[in-house]
Amino acid sequence: GNIKIDGLDIRDFKTNKYRELYGIVAQDNILFNDTIENNIKFANENITKDEIINCLKLANAYNFVNELPNGIY
C-alpha cells in the first residue's frame, strides 16, 4: 500500500519538509518550570519576540500571560 496526500505519494516528500506540515497537540498540557518565552522557544529556539507575541495572541493566551506576575519573560 501507499499513503498519498493530494495524490502525491509521501515517499516522494523530503522528510524535513513533510514534517514541517504537521504538529501535535497533546491532550495534557505540559509546561516547563521556566518562563513562558522559554516554553515557547522549546519548539523553535530562533523565534523572535514578535513571533512569540503572535503565537500567544493566536492561542488567545496573550492577555492572560501578560497578567501573570512575570509576564512573558
Side-chain angles (χ1 to χ4, degrees):
N2 56 15
I3 300 171
K4 294 184 178 185
I5 299 175
D6 291 334
L8 301 172
D9 192 314
I10 65 167
R11 291 175 288 195
D12 295 333
F13 288 110
K14 292 184 178 180
T15 305
N16 289 342
K17 292 295 181 186
Y18 175 71
R19 289 180 179 159
E20 288 176 3
L21 298 173
Y22 295 92
I24 296 173
V25 179
Q27 295 298 312
D28 296 322
N29 296 322
I30 299 170
L31 289 175
F32 298 107
N33 187 18
D34 206 335
T35 64
I36 299 295
E37 175 187 26
N38 285 337
N39 272 273
I40 294 172
K41 280 186 166 186
F42 180 76
N44 177 1
E45 65 185 28
N46 298 317
I47 193 169
T48 67
K49 291 189 182 223
D50 286 339
E51 290 172 321
I52 290 171
I53 290 170
N54 190 46
C55 287
L56 290 168
K57 287 180 178 179
L58 287 171
N60 293 317
Y62 180 74
N63 291 334
F64 166 75
V65 169
N66 266 342
E67 293 177 9
L68 293 172
N70 295 326
I72 299 169
Y73 313 103

